[in-house]
Amino acid sequence: MLEQLLIFTRGGLILWTCKELGNALRGSPIDTLIRSCLLEERSGAPSYNYDASGASYTLKWTFHNELGLVFVAVYQRILNLLYVDDLLAMVKQEFSEIYDPKRTSYNDFDDIFQQLKKEAESRAEEMKKSKQVGKPVNNNLGKKQGQVLKGYVDGSNKKNSGGESENGGGDGDKLKGHLLENGNFNKNNVVNGEFPRMVNANGKENGSSNVGAFDVNKLQKIRGKGGKKTDTSVNKGSKAEPKKKVVKKNRVWNDSPSEPKLDFTDPVSENGEDNIAIVAADQGESMMDKEEIISSESESEEEDTGKKSKVETKKKGWFSSMFQSIAGKANLEKADLEPALKALKDRLMTKNVAEEIAEKLCESVAASLEGKKLASFTRISSTVQAAMEEALVRILTPRRSIDILRDVHAAQEQGKPYVVVFVGVNGVGKSTNLAKVAYWLQQHKIKVMMAACDTFRSGAVEQLRTHARRLQIPIFEKGYEKDPAIVAKEAIQEASRNGSEVVLVDTAGRMQDNEPLMRALSKLIYVNSPDLILFVGEALVGNDAVDQLSKFNQKLADLSPSPDPRLIDGILLTKFDTIDDKVGAALSMVYISGSPVMFVGCGQSYTDLKKLNVKSIVKTLLQ
């Protein structure tokens, strides 16, 4: 049963809703659809699933781009209604004929909707009946053949029941399981009017074999031989004495006794700290506080290249393009947009955008342009590019405030430290960029403390301790082989005692498929409830960015004991100075997670941390 059907404008004004349906929806599926799908350029998807407490809905929609209308249907996911797509298309066609921008009430559309709904339901029923016409014949054939095969296999089992060897009777059972479990004979082979060849219990064919066909009997013989060999090997192995596991011994250098553990973090000597030179913390102003200025020379170069490309395109079919640009086009169709969208997709992929993301973006742009009227003196390619530019700016612009300094002061007023956890895969630069963030916070007179919660990688604590000495920042450490969740909890307690305003928690690098380490990270987040979870990712990755972020969020949600698990809040993009114009990783990460890029690492010194310039990224992607 259809739960709800709404018609509203792109501005958010609801024009009509079905009063007879009038079912109270649990949660807010329409608002969630608008926020997480329509505004995030995911409108190219066929449907959207929404889960609420006690209900799960499927939402389908369509646009009338020329009039700026959105049609949304909501129904229970378990029902799988077949007529929703046809109903939306008919409602769109009928409503567009009576639509008037000055009207806000359409009560007369109720009767039209009921007729359209009955028509759509009757069409769906007719389609069901037409699909079920040929099913009884096939089922009868399948039943008859199943009886033949079953009787034959049972007969072969009865013949072998008198004197079964070690493998006797087992072949019959294997054959029966092979024929009946797969179900290929009951459906696929009978449809063509051919019964499968009869096979006796020993695996031999009755009748001539087809030349070139795959011989299942040989495979069964090979399996049988393999089974015998494994049985004999198991028996021999049971008689023989079990071999002792060989343990690798540590290498001894110069005949000196080896240390039991390479852990030098606990006994920290005073002399060692004095011998290490402390670099002055003031290395200049961080790039976070500098506004990035795009040079006018690059803009003029881009304009020149744009003019050259326009001249080249004019040379190619100038008459047809000139005529179309002057006359305009009635309504844009999907076939008209495909060449421009394909070129745009290829361009995005050359900029290191994941293929899946580029395809979804092009589908969303096509959905937003389909049906629109092309204005005079404009080309389809320029229209598509302008729509893509708007979509990219909308995606990369943060939907919420990312002012960490304001959040730090708000936490300070509540009398608790602001906790930031850095997570990510191995080798992306979490510890180095944590030190850059600490330096930037120091420039704003904020007391920072580091928490060494990477108790897994050798040298991680020493690395963070070196950064702390250079920046003259306190560090909380407990060495290796400790529970990182407990270390982080004690670090936060210590920060509350010594008056630190921000705690930067360093965690071990882990691959997204490593469940034990992901479980430990989920526990750390659940126990300490950090204010900000930053995913540190490389700007070098392409398609792997989608896999990393989606699986990180999925594991954090699945492994958390909380009913409302915390997910990634923001992204820190590293090694941005090594990619030239391949800036697509930023788009892929933001699109797949919905989290903004809060920091960009662009060098090896403490000052090399800056904000993401959205206009610059969009211009680079569309060059």
Side-chain angles (χ1 to χ4, degrees), residues 147-159:
Q147 292 171 2
V148 172
L149 293 173
K150 185 177 178 182
Y152 193 85
V153 174
D154 291 341
S156 64
N157 288 337
K158 288 177 182 178
K159 290 179 183 179

Side-chain angles (χ1 to χ4, degrees), residues 46-187:
S47 61
Y48 178 77
N49 294 328
Y50 176 81
D51 293 321
S53 57
S56 56
Y57 300 111
T58 296
L59 291 84
K60 290 192 174 183
W61 63 90
T62 185
F63 300 114
H64 197 298
N65 292 312
E66 188 178 356
L67 301 178
L69 301 178
V70 184
F71 304 82
V72 180
V74 187
Y75 61 93
Q76 292 283 350
R77 192 185 310 169
I78 196 172
L79 297 179
N80 193 18
L81 302 180
L82 301 176
Y83 62 86
V84 174
D85 292 327
D86 291 337
L87 180 62
L88 283 174
M90 290 189 291
V91 168
K92 171 184 172 182
Q93 183 178 358
E94 294 294 333
F95 191 83
S96 60
E97 293 177 0
I98 65 170
Y99 175 70
D100 184 3
K102 297 179 181 179
R103 285 183 62 184
T104 57
S105 177
Y106 293 87
N107 296 325
D108 54 339
F109 191 69
D110 294 342
D111 298 332
I112 302 173
F113 172 73
Q114 292 302 325
Q115 295 176 1
L116 296 176
K117 185 182 176 186
K118 289 178 182 178
E119 186 179 347
E121 289 176 348
S122 62
R123 283 185 187 177
E125 289 295 330
E126 289 176 2
M127 288 177 64
K128 279 184 182 179
K129 291 178 182 179
S130 62
K131 287 180 180 179
Q132 292 175 357
V133 169
K135 284 186 178 180
V137 179
N138 294 336
N139 290 337
N140 293 333
L141 287 173
K143 288 178 182 178
K144 288 179 182 178
Q145 186 187 358
Q147 292 171 2
V148 172
L149 293 173
K150 185 177 178 182
Y152 193 85
V153 174
D154 291 341
S156 64
N157 288 337
K158 288 177 182 178
K159 290 179 183 179
N160 291 331
S161 62
E164 290 184 349
S165 61
E166 292 180 1
N167 294 328
D171 292 336
D173 293 336
K174 289 178 184 176
L175 175 63
K176 182 178 178 181
H178 180 71
L179 296 177
L180 299 181
E181 284 178 5
N182 291 341
N184 293 331
F185 293 158
N186 291 339
K187 293 181 181 178

Side-chain angles (χ1 to χ4, degrees), residues 306-354:
K307 288 178 181 178
K308 289 179 183 177
S309 61
K310 285 181 180 179
V311 170
E312 290 176 359
T313 52
K314 284 180 181 178
K315 287 179 181 178
K316 294 178 177 176
W318 60 273
F319 182 76
S320 59
S321 60
M322 181 184 69
F323 179 77
Q324 187 172 345
S325 63
I326 293 174
K329 187 171 176 63
N331 287 312
L332 288 173
E333 298 176 359
K334 197 168 185 179
D336 302 326
L337 300 171
E338 280 180 359
L341 288 173
K342 187 179 182 303
L344 203 55
K345 178 187 172 183
D346 294 340
R347 192 186 308 171
L348 290 174
M349 289 174 62
T350 58
K351 301 293 184 181
N352 217 13
V353 179

Side-chain angles (χ1 to χ4, degrees), residues 421-431 454 456-457 505-514 517-518 521 525 533-538 544 548-549 551-553 556 568 570-572 574 589:
V421 175
F422 293 77
V423 303
V425 299
N426 309 80
V428 294
K430 289 184 295 298
S431 303
D454 185 354
F456 183 76
R457 175 174 65 90
V505 180
D506 185 29
T507 62
R510 64 205 76 210
M511 296 306 294
Q512 59 270 22
D513 298 320
N514 192 331
L517 287 177
M518 291 302 300
L521 179 62
I525 293 172
I533 303 172
L534 279 180
F535 179 83
V536 185
E538 285 182 329
D544 198 37
Q548 286 179 9
L549 264 168
K551 287 190 176 178
F552 253 84
N553 268 334
L556 290 178
I568 292 168
I571 298 167
L572 195 157
T574 65
M589 289 184 179

